[in-house]
Every structure is written in structure tokens, then in C-alpha cells.
Amino acid sequence: MRLVEILIPKEKRDAVEGVLEDEEIDYTLVEEESRSEPSVVITFPLPAPAVESVLDEIRETGIDEDSYTVIVEAETVISDQFDDLEQRYAQNTPRISREEMQARAKDLTPRFSTYLVMTIMSVVVATAGLLLDSPAVVVGSMVIAPLIGPALGASVGTVINDQALFRRGIKLQAIGLGVGVITAAIFAVVVRTTGLVPPMIDLFAISEIEGRVRPDLLSLVIAVGAGVAGAWTLTAGTSAALVGVMIAAALVPPLGVVGIGIAWARPEVALAAGVLVLVNILAINVTSLGVLWYKGYRPENWFGADEARVATRRRAVALAVSIVVLSSFLGVVSYDTYRTGTYEEEVNAEVAAVLESPEYTELEVIDVEVEYTDPVPLRQPDRVVVTVGHPVGTDPPLVGDELQQREGVHAESAIHLPTGPLIDSQRAEVVVHYTEIEE
């Protein structure tokens, strides 16, 4: 529930009182004599879903939209009339007023200096966590990232036609991404040149980095969920802190990977992670825009509403088209994951089939690993490393030649998709490691 206090000219008193009495709203009225023009202050409680519609009715009496108005959260209202009012508005969409949402969107973005420092710190921590392959550190970086405010501010500014809020949201998002990439690159260069990580480190052996270099379409779900949850939380008037972590999860770690790719002179790493960042931030913007429009937020006057409708439609289409174009990369990664997964499954089946032969009954498959020539899609198999165990004190039968033959046939002709070969016609080298095992 909310407590509303509004300052109105004295000549509008009767009209405003008429609106409140028609709505059966309890109110108190105090004459304000300290101002040059006669004014009165009216205070009344309202259920949160009723604030916007009641204020719109009051402003239709001729009260200016920029008139002094205070809306605060009330703990308790004891009044039979208020109980009836609450039941009447219980069927309305559960959302806070346009004015309160606008104020909350502005409050979510800190001062520019604070925003800049927190963005830099979050990216530095994320980059360190990525190089350490530490999920806990990466999650910690998300907690301090101040990215939720600009992302939601741009959408709020669009639907209510607040151009200043929209421009500020877009500007801060662009600055955040630019500063994030530069910060991550500088920090990664310092780490590499000072030897804080091994100079020959394999970036693709780090799971926290690998997941951001080969993002599939499921990665898009994170950004969509973050955008929907962020906008929904904002309109409900509840804490957005946890949602801010979710939005940061879609943006901060990939920014760190972009910087690492630049520092290690791996353009394919920087490009893949950069595409993920762009897809995620566009998805967050378009989904939050859709939620706010679905919730019914519009400018107060009809002319502004028409402008907002055109701007929302135009920006939503532009964002959606950009997402579709960029998501083609995610689609390629998803296809690559499917094709290599199927290939590895078939390789495992071939290895199992060979070792089931009578001459290899004493051998046991311990591990089968497929190594690829390329770190990013579309990957081709380079080596198949098979680890087999044999009883202690025995000489194992050599199985490598037969595995090589079976794997080669498999790769060249056994697996095909309707659109073409799953794996290019090339023979992957088979390497067999033998290890003794206790019976």
C-alpha cells in the first residue's frame, strides 16, 4: 500500500475532493499558507495497483503532471473504507504506478563515478576468476556489477516516453561494455606479462572460459530470463538485487573472456565471447521492453503514448532483428555441439565393439577422449585417445591398429546428417594408452 501526498492550487480543491469522494478514498487536507499562491496539501492512502489510475483522474481536473507529489510505502492502514478500496482494486494487474517505477529505475543506476568504479572492479574480479577457473570468484564479480539500472532504465524510458532516461540508459550500457572490455584486456595483459599465470596456459582447458567461447542457444535463455525477471521485479516494487546478479551473469564473465582473448592474441576467443555479450545485452533490453509494455505502462498524455508506441515498436524490431542475426553464431555452436556429441557417442560405440571381441576380453575401457583441431566451431576430430586397462603382470594385446581402422571408417562414411556429413572425411589419429589394473 502507498501513502500519497499531493500539493494542489486552492481553486482545484473541490474538483480533487470530488474525485477522491467518488472513489471512496479517505483523505486529509491541510491548507498551505507559506506559498505565494493559495495551496492545499491532500494526503490519502491507496493500494499500490490504484495509484496510477487515481493520480491520472486527479490530473484530469487540471493538476499539472509535474506538481509536487510524494508517494511512499505505508506499513498499515486501519480503515473499513480502505479495505473496500483494496478489494475493488485487487483485480487490477499487480504493479506499481508509472511514477514510482520511473523513480525506481532512476535509483537503480548509481552516480556515474560509482557506476564506473563498480563496473571496473566487477570485470577485474571476473577476469581473475576466469583465469583461476574459479566459479566462486566469477559469481562474486556478478554481485558487485551495477548493470541492472542502465538495462532497465532504457526500457522504462522507451515505454513512458522519457527520452532523458532512455538516453542515459543506452549511454551507460555502451560505456559499461566499452570500459569492461578495456579493463579486462589491460588486466589480462598485466597478468600474462608478469607471469601470474603460466605463459603457455591453454585457454580452452579452462572450463570457465570454454563455456563462454562456445556458447549455444541455451546461453540466450539466461539473458531472456534476466530481462523478464528484471522488468517484472521492477514493476512489482520488490528488491532487484538478486535479479541484478542474474543480469550480470549474462554480461560480466563474457566481457572478461573478450579481454583475455585480446591479451592472448586469440581473435577467435574475443570474437566468440563478444558475440555472446551483444546477444545477451540485446535480449535483456528487448525482453524487459516487452514485459513493461505487456504490464500496460504508457505515458500520461495521448500524444506521448503515440510516440512511445512507435518508438517501442521500432526499437523492439531493431533489437529482435539484431538478436536473430547474432544468434546465428549460437545456432552454429549448438549444431557443432550436436554433431561432435553424436560423433563421440559413435566413437565410444566403435571402441566398445572392438574390445568386445574374444581376443580383447582381458582389456577394459577406462576412458575415450576426442581431441579437435579447432577450438571454436566448426570443429574437426584430430585425435582419439583411448585409455584401456589390462591385468597386472600381463602384456596387453595391441588394439590400436584395429581401432584406427574402425574409427577411420566411422569418420569417413558411417555418420551423415540429411544436410551433409557430420564429420569431414578425414581420419583422426587413434592413440591407445595402456594401464595396469587390479583384477
Side-chain angles (χ1 to χ4, degrees):
M1 61 192 72
R2 303 292 187 264
L3 188 65
V4 180
E5 181 179 277
I6 183 169
L7 179 70
I8 62 173
K10 195 169 184 177
E11 63 268 17
K12 298 292 183 179
R13 170 178 173 174
D14 292 340
V16 173
E17 283 186 296
V19 170
L20 298 178
E21 289 170 358
D22 289 343
E23 291 287 340
E24 299 180 350
I25 298 171
D26 291 323
Y27 65 92
T28 59
L29 186 147
V30 178
E31 292 194 8
E32 177 59 57
E33 299 179 351
S34 63
R35 302 176 67 87
S36 57
E37 59 180 26
S39 304
V40 294
V41 176
I42 296 182
T43 305
F44 50 92
L46 286 175
V51 173
E52 186 174 328
S53 60
V54 171
L55 285 180
D56 286 345
E57 287 186 57
I58 290 176
R59 284 166 181 158
E60 286 176 1
T61 65
I63 303 299
D64 186 62
E65 183 180 1
D66 297 326
S67 62
Y68 173 82
T69 304
V70 177
I71 304 172
V72 296
E73 191 169 354
E75 294 292 337
T76 305
V77 176
I78 301 175
S79 166
D80 291 338
Q81 193 158 305
F82 183 83
D83 292 341
D84 294 338
L85 185 67
E86 201 167 31
Q87 290 180 3
R88 193 181 345 142
Y89 280 95
Q91 303 302 320
N92 284 22
T93 303
R95 66 179 180 86
I96 59 177
S97 66
R98 176 179 56 247
E99 293 81 2
E100 190 175 352
M101 181 193 65
Q102 186 177 10
R104 283 177 176 267
K106 292 178 180 178
D107 290 342
L108 282 174
T109 304
R111 295 172 64 91
F112 181 74
S113 58
T114 303
Y115 174 78
L116 198 61
V117 170
M118 296 301 287
T119 300
I120 291 173
M121 289 299 98
S122 65
V123 173
V124 168
V125 172
T127 306
L130 290 166
L131 291 172
L132 291 171
D133 201 15
S134 172
V137 176
V138 174
V139 171
S141 71
M142 304 170 192
V143 177
I144 60 176
L147 301 176
I148 183 173
L152 296 181
S155 297
V156 172
T158 297
V159 297
I160 66 173
N161 200 31
D162 185 338
Q163 293 301 315
L165 183 58
F166 167 75
R167 286 193 295 268
R168 185 167 185 258
I170 293 297
K171 181 179 72 173
L172 289 180
Q173 286 185 82
I175 291 174
L177 295 185
V179 168
V181 170
I182 294 171
T183 299
I186 293 174
F187 179 75
V189 167
V190 171
V191 168
R192 186 183 185 191
T193 54
T194 55
L196 293 178
V197 296
M200 300 304 294
I201 187 174
D202 182 5
L203 297 181
F204 299 97
I206 302 175
S207 60
E208 286 294 313
I209 293 179
E210 183 186 16
R212 276 86 187 187
V213 173
R214 289 194 282 267
D216 55 21
L217 289 173
L218 285 177
S219 302
L220 188 60
V221 176
I222 299 174
V224 170
V228 172
W232 203 277
T233 301
L234 178 65
T235 61
T238 55
S239 174
L242 292 178
V243 179
V245 175
M246 188 174 180
I247 288 178
L251 300 176
V252 176
L255 284 174
V257 176
V258 173
I260 291 171
I262 294 173
W264 261 260
R266 299 296 298 267
E268 71 276 16
V269 172
L271 181 61
V275 170
L276 178 60
V277 171
L278 291 177
V279 169
N280 283 349
I281 198 165
L282 292 173
I284 289 170
N285 277 268
V286 74
T287 52
S288 60
L289 193 64
V291 169
L292 295 175
W293 192 260
Y294 168 76
K295 284 275 196 170
Y297 287 103
R298 306 289 188 275
E300 182 186 11
N301 57 74
W302 67 269
F303 180 73
D306 189 56
E307 284 188 354
R309 186 182 304 107
V310 173
T312 300
R313 187 177 303 159
R314 184 173 63 247
R315 290 165 189 169
V317 170
L319 290 170
V321 170
S322 300
I323 291 170
V324 170
V325 172
L326 292 172
S327 292
S328 59
F329 173 75
L330 304 185
V332 170
V333 175
S334 297
Y335 167 70
D336 185 65
T337 301
Y338 168 76
R339 63 196 283 274
T340 55
T342 304
Y343 176 77
E344 291 172 13
E345 183 179 341
E346 293 293 334
V347 167
N348 276 273
E350 293 288 349
V351 171
V354 169
L355 294 184
E356 285 176 359
S357 301
E359 62 268 32
Y360 303 126
T361 53
E362 61 184 24
L363 297 181
E364 177 184 340
V365 179
I366 296 177
D367 183 49
V368 178
E369 180 183 358
V370 180
E371 298 177 356
Y372 297 92
T373 56
D374 303 310
V376 294
L378 293 166
R379 296 172 292 167
Q380 298 302 327
D382 181 41
R383 291 202 312 168
V384 177
V385 180
V386 182
T387 303
V388 298
H390 61 93
V392 175
T394 65
D395 293 328
L398 299 180
V399 70
D401 290 342
E402 185 168 352
L403 286 176
Q404 177 72 61
Q405 181 182 4
R406 293 290 290 270
E407 196 280 333
V409 172
H410 160 86
E412 290 177 2
S413 61
I415 303 178
H416 288 77
L417 290 178
T419 55
L422 185 66
I423 299 294
D424 287 349
S425 297
Q426 64 180 47
R427 186 185 299 272
E429 177 189 4
V430 176
V431 178
V432 181
H433 294 162
Y434 298 92
T435 182
E436 293 183 336
I437 58 174
E438 296 286 347
E439 292 188 9

